[in-house]
């Protein structure tokens, strides 16, 4: 059977086009209601799976959710088969797109992505592969630069993230007021920002962080209709899996942010991770005892599509039917989910007779000259000039007769897991060579050490194959030929790759042997990674560090041994082979020679996106690879006219380089036009205009644990970080200079507008990003040091002046008031700071805002425990599996409630508590501190279960005035709420 037949494309169209759901003149609601009413219950349930089958009797085609499109159309899946887009445009990584600080440009990128998705979707044999529900953008905030998926996000700041994500999403949706070009989905709701043990990580988000930060990564985009739904994340939040977060439910918080229907999906395999014993406990939370209860909860929590079990929908369908039979879900729950799915499909034009306004797009839209020009422009504008001492840049074409382009990324352009496959690519060597033309000599040198590995026991050398497909590695050569020579690239944290000198292919494990057969590190399991571990006698063991060794099921066989047939094999460390490593070519010497012979040196350092952190693997550190630093030092010593280009996906601790290298440019992995865009910037045809979207720290010592999500308490991101960053949030230099004049403030209505004249005081046309921050001078609570409120990218000719107007709503100044569980703008003076980065404030003004004064706490009313002001060792937990958050305390843990009004002199306390274990525990009530005056003690008996709550009461000593009240736990207790009683 052909794919066209299997998805139900053949249908008697004439009669069916008269059905109301096919009538474009009817309202969206009417069309959805008509089609929903025609579906049988079995047909409705079948539409809950990612692979929605065709319904031939109604002429309804199959529909698939989930085409990846984080920075251009990337890939899709057909079951467990990954299908790469290889004819479209690979734009810079998402963090690179955001570094343009240009929403208008990013919207064009989004539209090109959407158009190309339509192009792939346009043929009958492709449409089921390339669905129009696109899984992008990723709006999780980049609070920690070690996050493995840093490349997929935009910024550590909510305002910038919202602006860029909304632009990209609006571009993907197209400009038609009624129809969707594609349907973008925001990833990943909620708090998904670490990869190690991500499925079982319980992300702790106290109320201020939850409402001021993590939810703000999604709310502004949904509120602006920049996406058509969200994807639920793998991790737990406050004890509850994100897949059953009540925020997503019908009538829940997320859907309240927009008047349009949202179509929410689960992340891939997420339903399997919630239920069913016997699987890896580091993947499976076992939150529910079986799939019936798990899928019922997922559906009731507002997920409209189950991404589960690849193409096999039977497990999902069976579980939902069982849940329906047992009364765990209602038909109305199924109808609600299907209604959301059909709403998106109608808006995509799927049921229009002509396919809607985007139905005629075909494959001619792929990889056009216009998309190439847009890609080159975007890649150039995303590059950030970090340092430019003595006007080392731009390089002068006339003086660059001999250019050495050196470093591990000199002549490569890498893709990442969420990239498409580039139909062409321009490397840095290619781009600079094209820029300078035939009159210049451009040399490309990687700087790898070339080594041999001789088995100490047999005296023979590790040898690969010479052909394009290589061969299984074995110890065979008595004398080292090209096939037994390997180029070693240091990617940091002890990880290297080995490329065979005979065929230029990487060595990797292929599930049965090691072979030199890979063009580059790649795949979900990145199997081309090794570590050379020096032994006490000076020889080496070779540890296999393939990506899957981070998985729990891999076991201890992750060292390289030698089999009886001489082939390399996997074994344990104790049985690993011992090799004598000999360096035939010293990479630093090669780099120094190339640099010394050149007029200009461009050093390309950075990462391989498959090696240095990615999905399911966080970076161990922010350090630049030590081997790359050695090469940079060699180049700089040989030729001070060295420019460092750092090409990676995240902030890096390049403190030494900042001190010693005259010019530094950062770029994300920038796609097919990398080389051309880089040459445009280095030689001044395009001035650098990118700005950083994250704080760059000086070392790992500036960072707390990656699983500490409380940015307020741990002083994370530019909002709260009190140290001196290497580069501040928003940093980016230009080949020109800009002067900011005195700002004028207008704030009589609901908005605040700051107008500031900006003058290009340099000698060339340039662009700058004018940034407006606010700081609240007085507050009941800890406030950010500064917070971005608005920005605008301006391009000015030399000597030209323009007035930049930056506007934000006064309501944006609100923070979450834990005393009353809502947002509040406090009466205060707010400093308005205008600058080129968070660390480069040029002008200041202020405005007095009349808002509210947060009253003293009234603990005589029922107070939710989660609404504490401060805490130590306490943990946020699920009050029930369905909803609510409580506080879990262990011995010595405490929570505090600041500025409580005790003038009524309460004499008692009532608390709603749960305790699963036997015996009793206590909650002490103290004033002034966790060891302050003891007012009373609550005794908490066993309640029989952690979700079984009961009220307990106790007496407290009378206190007066306004005091900070502390609840100190003496044992394993869950506290839902409490209130003081008995005051006068």
């Amino acid at each position: 059977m052909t794919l066209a037949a299997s998805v139900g494309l053949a249908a008697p169209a004439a009669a069916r086009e008269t059905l109301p759901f096919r009538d474009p003149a009817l309202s969206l609601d009417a069309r959805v209601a008509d089609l929903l009413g025609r579906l049988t219950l079995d047909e409705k349930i079948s539409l809950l799976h990612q692979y929605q089958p065709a319904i031939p009797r109604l002429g309804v085609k199959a529909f698939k959710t989930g085409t990846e499109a984080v920075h251009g159309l990337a890939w899709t899946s057909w079951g467990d088969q990954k299908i790469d887009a290889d004819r479209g445009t690979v734009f810079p990584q998402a963090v690179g797109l955001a570094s343009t600080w240009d929403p208008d440009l990013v919207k064009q990128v989004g539209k090109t992505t959407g158009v190309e998705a339509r192009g792939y979707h346009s043929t009958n044999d492709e449409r089921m592969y390339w669905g129009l529900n696109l899984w992008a953008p990723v709006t999780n905030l980049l609070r920690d630069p070690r996050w493995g998926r840093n490349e997929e996000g935009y910024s550590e700041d909510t305002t910038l993230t919202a602006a860029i994500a909304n632009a990209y999403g609006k571009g993907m949706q197209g400009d038609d007021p009624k129809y969707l070009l594609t349907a973008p989905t925001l990833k990943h709701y909620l708090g998904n920002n670490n990869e190690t043990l991500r499925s079982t990580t319980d992300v702790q988000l106290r109320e201020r962080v939850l409402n001021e930060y993590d939810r703000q990564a999604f709310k502004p985009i949904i509120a602006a209709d920049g996406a058509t739904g969200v994807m639920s994340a793998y991790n737990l939040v406050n004890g509850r899996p994100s897949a059953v977060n009540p925020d997503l439910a019908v009538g829940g918080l997320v859907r309240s942010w927009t008047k349009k229907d949202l179509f929410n999906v689960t992340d891939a395999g997420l339903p399997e991770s919630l239920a069913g014993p016997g699987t890896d406990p580091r993947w499976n939370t076992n939150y529910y005892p079986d799939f019936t209860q798990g899928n019922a909860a997922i559906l009731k929590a507002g997920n409209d599509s189950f991404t589960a079990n690849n193409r096999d929908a039977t497990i999902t369908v069976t579980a939902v039917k069982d849940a329906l039979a047992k009364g765990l879900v209602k038909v109305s729950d199924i109808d609600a989910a299907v209604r959301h799915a059909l709403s998106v499909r109608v808006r995509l034009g799927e049921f229009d007779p002509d396919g809607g306004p985007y139905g005629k797009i075909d494959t001619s839209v792929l990889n056009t000259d216009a998309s190439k020009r847009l890609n080159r422009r975007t890649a150039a504008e995303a590059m950030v000039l970090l340092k430019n001492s003595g006007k080392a840049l731009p390089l002068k074409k006339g003086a660059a007769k001999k250019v050495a382009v050196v470093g591990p990324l000199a002549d490569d352009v890498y893709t990442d897991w969420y990239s498409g496959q580039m139909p062409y690519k321009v490397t840095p060597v290619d781009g600079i060579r094209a820029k300078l033309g035939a009159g210049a000599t451009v040399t490309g040198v990687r700087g790898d050490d070339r080594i041999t590995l001789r088995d100490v026991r047999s005296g023979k050398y590790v040898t690969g194959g010479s052909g394009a497909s290589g061969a299984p590695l074995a110890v065979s050569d008595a004398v080292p030929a090209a096939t037994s020579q390997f180029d070693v690239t240091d990617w940091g944290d002890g990880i290297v790759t080995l490329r065979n000198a005979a065929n230029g292919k990487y060595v990797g494990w292929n599930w049965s042997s090691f072979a030199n057969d890979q063009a580059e590190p790649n795949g979900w399991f990145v199997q081309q990674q090794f570590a050379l571990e020096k032994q006490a006698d000076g020889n080496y063991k070779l540890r296999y560090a393939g990506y899957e060794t981070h998985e729990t099921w891999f076991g201890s066989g992750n060292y390289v041994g030698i089999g009886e047939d001489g082939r390399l094999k996997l074994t344990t460390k104790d049985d690993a082979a011992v090799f004598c490593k000999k360096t035939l070519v010293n990479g630093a010497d090669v780099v120094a020679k190339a640099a010394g012979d050149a007029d200009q040196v461009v050093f390309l350092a950075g990462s391989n996106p498959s090696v240095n952190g990615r999905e399911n693997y966080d970076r161990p550190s922010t350090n630049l690879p030590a081997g790359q630093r050695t090469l940079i030092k060699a180049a700089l010593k040989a030729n001070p006219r060295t420019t460092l280009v750092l090409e990676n996906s995240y902030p890096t601790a390049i403190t030494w380089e900042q001190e010693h290298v005259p010019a530094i440019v950062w770029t994300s992995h920038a796609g097919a036009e990398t080389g051309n865009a880089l040459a445009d910037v280095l030689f001044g045809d395009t001035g650098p205009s990118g700005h950083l979207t994250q704080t760059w720290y000086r070392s790992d010592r500036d960072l707390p644990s990656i699983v500490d999500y409380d940015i307020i308490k741990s002083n994370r991101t530019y909002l709260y970080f009190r140290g001196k960053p290497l580069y501040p949030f928003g940093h980016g230099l230009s080949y020109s200079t800009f002067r900011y004049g005195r700002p004028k403030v207008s704030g009589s209505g609901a908005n605040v507008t700051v107008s500031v004249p900006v003058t290009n005081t340099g000698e060339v046309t340039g662009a700058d990003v004018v940034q407006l921050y606010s700081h609240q001078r007085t507050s009941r609570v800890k406030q950010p040091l500064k917070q971005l409120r608005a920005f605008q990218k301006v391009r000015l000719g030399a000597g030209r002046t323009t007035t930049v107007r930056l506007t934000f709503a006064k309501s944006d100044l609100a923070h979450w008031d834990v005393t009353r569980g809502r947002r509040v703008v406090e009466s205060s003076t707010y400093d308005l700071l205008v600058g080129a980065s968070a660390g480069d404030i040029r002008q200041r003004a202020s405005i007095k805002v009349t808002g509210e004064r947060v009253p003293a706490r009234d603990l005589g009313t029922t107070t939710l425990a989660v609404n504490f002001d401060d805490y130590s060792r306490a943990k946020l937990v699920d009050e029930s599996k369905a909803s609510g958050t409580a506080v879990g305390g262990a011995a010595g843990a405490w929570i505090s409630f600041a500025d409580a009004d005790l003038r009524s002199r309460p004499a008692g306390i009532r608390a709603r508590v749960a305790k699963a274990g036997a015996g009793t525990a206590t909650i002490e009530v103290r004033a002034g501190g966790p060891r302050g005056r003891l007012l009373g003690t609550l005794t908490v008996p066993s309640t029989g279960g952690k979700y079984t709550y009961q009220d307990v009461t106790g007496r407290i000593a009378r206190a007066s005035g306004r005091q900070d009240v502390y609840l100190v736990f003496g044992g394993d207790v869950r506290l839902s709420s409490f209130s003081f009683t008995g005051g006068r």
Side-chain angles (χ1 to χ4, degrees):
M1 180 185 293
T2 66
L3 178 62
S6 72
V7 298
L9 297 178
R16 290 171 184 154
E17 287 178 1
T18 63
L19 295 177
F21 75 85
R22 295 191 175 278
D23 185 355
L26 295 180
S27 70
L28 172 64
D29 289 345
R31 297 177 71 181
V32 170
D34 177 73
L35 179 51
L36 184 66
R38 296 178 187 278
L39 298 174
T40 67
L41 181 57
D42 282 349
E43 289 169 342
K44 292 175 185 177
I45 294 174
S46 76
L47 299 182
L48 298 177
H49 193 261
Q50 176 186 20
Y51 291 86
Q52 300 179 21
I55 302 174
R57 70 180 185 86
L58 294 175
V60 172
K61 301 175 183 178
F63 183 86
K64 174 184 171 294
T65 69
T67 298
E68 302 292 353
V70 174
H71 55 110
L73 193 69
W75 56 268
T76 187
S77 58
W78 183 246
D80 59 355
Q81 178 187 2
K82 180 187 177 189
I83 304 172
D84 290 304
D86 57 5
R87 293 174 289 167
T89 308
V90 177
F91 289 100
Q93 291 174 313
V95 69
L97 295 178
S99 70
T100 66
W101 289 62
D102 189 339
D104 291 338
L105 177 62
V106 173
K107 184 177 180 181
Q108 294 179 53
V109 172
K111 186 168 185 178
T112 298
T113 301
V115 167
E116 292 192 344
R118 280 279 180 173
Y120 266 92
H121 184 75
S122 62
T123 66
N124 286 345
D125 288 334
E126 297 279 336
R127 72 173 308 276
M128 188 53 175
Y129 294 149
W130 300 100
L132 297 178
N133 171 234
L134 304 188
W135 286 356
V138 174
T139 58
N140 299 112
L141 296 163
L142 306 184
R143 64 177 181 99
D144 193 304
R146 297 166 298 189
W147 183 35
R149 303 180 75 168
N150 199 86
E151 66 198 27
E152 298 178 42
Y154 294 129
S155 174
E156 67 187 38
D157 177 75
T158 57
T159 297
L160 181 58
T161 293
I164 299 299
N166 189 52
Y168 192 63
K170 287 285 182 67
M172 287 193 288
Q173 291 183 74
D175 297 320
D176 192 282
K178 182 177 177 181
Y179 289 92
L180 295 168
L181 176 62
T182 63
T185 302
L186 301 184
K187 299 160 64 170
H188 312 79
Y189 197 89
L190 182 71
N192 182 184
N193 200 221
N194 67 279
E195 295 304 297
T196 303
L197 303 180
R198 60 179 177 170
S199 298
T200 53
T201 294
D202 185 1
V203 174
Q204 295 284 287
L205 297 178
R206 63 170 167 137
E207 288 296 283
R208 281 197 64 197
V209 178
L210 173 64
N211 289 288
E212 293 176 27
Y213 197 64
D214 285 86
R215 279 175 175 159
Q216 286 299 112
F218 294 85
K219 180 179 179 179
I221 302 102
I222 295 296
D225 295 322
T228 59
V230 303
M231 172 187 284
S232 51
Y234 290 120
N235 55 279
L236 297 86
V237 173
N238 299 340
R240 182 180 296 107
S242 291
V244 291
N245 189 330
D247 284 4
L248 305 178
V250 175
L253 183 66
V254 173
R255 295 185 191 272
S256 75
W257 294 336
T258 177
K259 294 181 179 179
K260 294 188 176 181
D261 277 338
L262 296 178
F263 175 61
N264 298 334
V265 306
T266 73
D267 208 335
L270 182 51
E272 296 101 298
S273 75
L274 297 192
T279 56
D280 188 338
R282 297 194 181 193
W283 161 254
N284 196 322
T285 63
N286 289 325
Y287 196 72
Y288 298 99
D290 52 49
F291 285 122
T292 295
Q293 293 187 51
N295 282 16
I298 289 170
L299 183 64
K300 289 180 72 68
N303 295 275
D304 305 312
S305 179
F306 290 75
T307 313
N309 308 108
N310 295 321
R311 288 171 57 197
D312 182 6
T314 56
I315 295 175
T316 297
V317 168
T318 299
V320 172
K321 287 183 176 180
D322 190 34
L324 189 64
K326 292 177 177 177
L328 298 176
V329 298
K330 301 176 181 178
V331 173
S332 59
D333 297 321
I334 296 168
D335 283 352
V338 174
R339 184 180 298 109
H340 300 145
L342 296 180
S343 177
V344 166
R345 293 177 67 171
V346 169
R347 294 173 67 196
L348 286 167
E350 184 175 342
F351 304 130
D352 282 28
D354 62 355
Y358 302 114
K360 300 296 189 294
I361 295 174
D362 59 23
T363 56
S364 65
V365 301
L366 301 176
N367 196 32
T368 65
D369 288 343
S371 67
K372 293 177 185 177
R373 289 191 298 269
L374 177 63
N375 198 12
R376 181 169 180 168
R377 176 191 167 193
T378 304
E381 292 202 25
M383 293 180 182
V384 182
L385 181 60
L386 298 175
K387 178 184 179 182
N388 193 19
S389 179
K391 295 185 177 180
L393 292 177
L395 302 177
K396 296 176 175 57
K397 297 176 189 176
K401 298 300 183 185
K402 295 176 67 177
V403 178
V405 185
V406 299
L409 285 85
D411 204 19
D412 278 306
V413 175
Y414 290 119
T415 56
D416 61 44
W417 180 249
Y418 286 101
S419 296
Q421 296 300 315
M422 293 174 275
Y424 72 97
K425 56 185 178 182
V426 182
T427 72
V429 169
D430 295 335
I432 292 172
R433 189 171 286 148
K435 178 69 65 177
L436 297 180
T441 300
V442 179
T443 303
V445 173
R446 286 180 59 96
D448 293 335
D449 286 349
R450 180 162 291 184
I451 68 169
T452 59
L453 294 172
R454 178 172 57 83
D455 174 32
V456 170
R457 184 178 61 83
S458 68
K460 294 182 179 180
Y461 290 89
V462 175
T463 307
S466 58
S469 58
L473 268 60
V475 290
S476 58
D477 282 358
V479 178
T483 49
S484 53
Q485 298 176 27
F486 299 89
D487 293 333
V488 182
T489 305
D490 180 6
W491 295 113
D493 301 303
I495 302 302
V496 302
T497 52
L498 303 173
R499 286 187 308 130
N500 190 266
N503 68 353
K505 294 294 183 68
Y506 286 87
V507 175
W509 175 252
N510 61 15
W511 302 105
S512 62
S513 63
F514 290 100
N516 59 314
D517 60 354
Q518 295 297 305
E520 66 176 84
N522 64 88
W524 177 255
F525 297 115
V526 185
Q527 304 187 73
Q528 300 81 26
Q529 303 177 75
F530 299 89
L532 287 160
E533 296 185 349
K534 194 170 186 177
Q535 307 300 298
D537 61 1
N539 291 314
Y540 290 81
K541 288 187 177 181
L542 188 60
R543 177 168 60 89
Y544 170 59
Y547 180 71
E548 69 272 19
T549 61
H550 298 289
E551 302 290 341
T552 57
W553 51 263
F554 190 78
S556 60
N558 54 358
Y559 277 78
V560 175
I562 300 172
E564 293 182 2
D565 59 358
R567 287 191 178 188
L568 302 193
K569 66 174 186 177
L570 280 175
T571 188
T572 63
K573 183 176 183 178
D574 290 344
D575 293 330
V578 179
F579 299 102
C580 175
K581 179 174 74 74
K582 182 178 181 181
T583 301
L584 305 180
V585 178
N586 184 288
D589 292 343
V590 174
V591 165
K593 176 66 168 63
D597 290 342
D599 302 318
Q600 300 285 348
V601 181
V602 179
F603 194 103
L604 269 296
S607 71
N608 183 302
S610 293
V611 176
N612 299 94
R614 48 156 285 173
E615 184 169 357
N616 216 14
Y617 178 51
D618 295 313
R619 285 195 299 156
S621 78
T622 61
N623 294 330
L624 186 73
Q628 294 189 29
R629 178 162 290 158
T630 297
L631 297 180
I632 293 169
K633 289 181 177 180
L636 191 62
K637 183 177 180 180
N639 191 334
R641 296 183 300 279
T642 295
T643 294
L644 171 62
V645 178
L646 182 62
E647 183 180 354
N648 61 21
S649 314
Y650 34 70
T652 307
I654 53 169
T655 306
W656 185 92
E657 288 71 20
Q658 169 62 23
E659 293 174 356
H660 295 90
V661 181
I664 306 174
V665 174
W666 174 82
T667 176
S668 73
H669 293 280
E673 289 287 340
T674 294
N676 285 333
L678 179 61
D680 289 343
V681 170
L682 292 179
F683 289 94
D685 292 326
T686 299
S689 63
H691 285 244
L692 298 178
T693 68
Q694 293 174 265
T695 303
W696 284 44
Y697 300 96
R698 293 180 176 272
S699 76
D700 295 338
R701 292 189 297 272
D702 291 330
L703 293 167
S705 166
I706 193 172
V707 293
D708 182 348
Y709 278 71
D710 191 343
I711 67 165
I712 300 175
K713 194 174 181 70
S714 61
N715 293 325
R716 274 185 183 272
T717 77
Y718 84 96
L719 295 167
Y720 297 98
F721 181 60
R722 295 180 180 274
K724 183 180 180 181
L726 179 63
Y727 304 114
F729 171 80
H731 174 72
L733 305 177
S734 170
Y735 292 153
S736 193
T737 55
F738 297 88
R739 182 179 67 242
Y740 294 6
R742 185 180 299 276
K744 294 182 179 180
V745 179
S746 172
S748 58
N751 295 330
V752 176
T753 297
V754 177
S755 302
V756 57
V758 178
T759 302
N760 181 341
T761 55
E763 299 175 353
V764 297
T765 295
D768 195 20
V769 177
V770 184
Q771 301 162 42
L772 173 64
Y773 298 85
S774 73
H775 170 70
Q776 185 174 338
R777 291 185 186 176
T778 58
S779 176
R780 178 187 180 276
V781 297
K782 180 179 178 180
Q783 288 288 344
L785 300 172
K786 58 177 68 73
Q787 185 165 2
L788 184 70
R789 296 303 180 188
F791 63 90
Q792 184 176 329
K793 193 168 192 174
V794 293
R795 186 174 301 277
L796 290 172
R800 302 298 296 272
T801 299
T802 190
T803 297
V804 176
R805 291 176 176 83
L806 302 168
T807 299
F808 65 92
K810 287 180 182 176
S811 60
D812 291 343
L813 298 170
H815 71 269
W816 189 260
D817 175 21
V818 293
T819 73
R820 293 171 292 177
R822 62 176 174 84
R823 290 171 61 83
V824 58
V825 176
E826 289 181 292
S827 293
S828 182
T829 297
Y830 292 80
D831 294 319
L832 302 174
L833 315 172
V834 182
S837 78
D840 182 12
I841 301 302
R842 309 281 183 84
Q843 294 288 345
R844 297 170 181 266
S846 65
I847 186 172
K848 290 185 177 181
V849 175
T850 300
E852 296 182 58
R853 181 180 179 275
V854 177
R857 278 189 181 270
D858 179 7
L859 298 183
T861 62
T862 299
T863 300
L864 296 179
V866 73
N867 284 332
F868 55 76
D869 283 283
D870 199 4
Y871 64 100
S872 175
R873 296 177 56 200
K875 187 175 182 180
L876 297 167
V877 296
D878 51 337
E879 186 173 6
S880 72
K881 288 196 172 185
S883 63
T885 301
V887 175
W894 55 262
I895 54 178
S896 69
F897 300 83
D899 191 28
D901 186 350
L902 303 181
R903 288 176 296 180
S904 65
R905 299 179 63 82
I909 181 173
R910 176 184 291 109
R912 188 159 183 77
V913 295
K915 185 179 184 299
T920 62
T922 60
I923 300 176
E924 295 179 342
V925 184
R926 292 182 177 268
R931 297 182 180 179
R933 178 190 172 201
L934 179 63
L935 301 180
T937 301
L938 277 172
T939 299
V940 181
S942 173
T943 63
K946 65 181 181 180
Y947 298 131
T948 304
Y949 288 83
Q950 68 181 46
D951 289 341
V952 296
T953 60
R955 295 184 61 80
I956 61 174
R958 292 187 180 273
S960 62
R962 293 167 66 162
Q963 300 194 39
D964 295 344
V965 173
Y966 286 72
L967 302 183
V968 183
F969 295 86
D972 185 7
V973 177
R974 290 187 170 205
L975 175 64
S976 170
S977 62
F978 71 97
S979 62
F980 284 173
T981 60
R984 66 172 185 268

